[in-house]
Amino acid sequence: MNNTKLFSNVNRLGCLLGSTVLMTLTGCVAYVDRPAQGSVYVAPSVMVEDDYVYYPNYEYYYSSSRHQYAYREGNAWVSRPAPRGVSVNELQASPAVRMNFHDDPANHHAATIKQYPKNWKPSGANPSQKQKDEQHGNKH
């Protein structure tokens, strides 16, 4: 009878210990805030449209929102932070046209080069260097 009573006490103790461990482990589950199943979380972002200035003499486009120059290199289009083969000052001193599209220049280049071929100049008199400086805020 002693063995039966001892066995019964051990079973109760084991059951109590097991329940305590199980409740402790269950209470340790961390809650992670996430979207409901089937939904997609999209981080807030700021949408900025591309804006391009085209330099016909070099067939380069500049996006001030991206701070990148886009141009063809062989048969491929590239975007880089600096133009290749010409200085930024020389490029900015050449005639330029603000483009009215907000996507990839490659999508518009065929029409752009027809409208603004190499050596294109704005209509009207060719401004002197002094006039160019005044337009850009530079004074001698």
Side-chain angles (χ1 to χ4, degrees):
M1 189 156 170
N2 270 344
N3 285 342
T4 307
K5 194 174 185 183
L6 181 63
F7 183 69
S8 177
N9 286 340
V10 170
N11 277 341
R12 284 185 191 162
L13 184 62
C15 186
L16 182 62
L17 185 60
S19 297
T20 304
V21 168
L22 184 60
M23 286 174 37
T24 302
L25 291 176
T26 307
C28 289
V29 174
Y31 175 75
V32 177
D33 191 19
R34 64 181 174 95
Q37 294 292 12
S39 64
V40 176
Y41 177 75
V42 178
S45 62
V46 176
M47 193 71 169
V48 177
E49 282 191 333
D50 285 332
D51 59 330
Y52 289 97
V53 173
Y54 177 62
Y55 297 93
N57 291 352
Y58 300 94
E59 294 187 12
Y60 277 32
Y61 298 84
Y62 178 72
S63 170
S64 60
S65 61
R66 292 179 184 258
H67 306 285
Q68 293 277 315
Y69 291 89
Y71 52 93
R72 286 185 302 180
E73 206 169 72
N75 290 329
W77 281 88
V78 296
S79 289
R80 297 210 169 98
R84 183 164 284 173
V86 61
S87 72
V88 172
N89 291 337
E90 187 177 349
L91 189 66
Q92 290 177 344
S94 70
V97 182
R98 182 164 301 282
M99 304 306 328
N100 196 25
F101 58 81
H102 303 288
D103 58 340
D104 193 351
N107 297 335
H108 307 276
H109 188 63
T112 301
I113 60 174
K114 284 181 183 175
Q115 189 172 0
Y116 304 103
K118 281 190 177 198
N119 301 317
W120 171 88
K121 290 184 176 44
S123 61
N126 187 11
S128 67
Q129 185 61 44
K130 183 178 178 184
Q131 289 172 326
K132 282 183 184 179
D133 287 343
E134 288 171 358
Q135 289 172 355
H136 295 288
N138 300 331
K139 302 212 178 199
H140 292 283

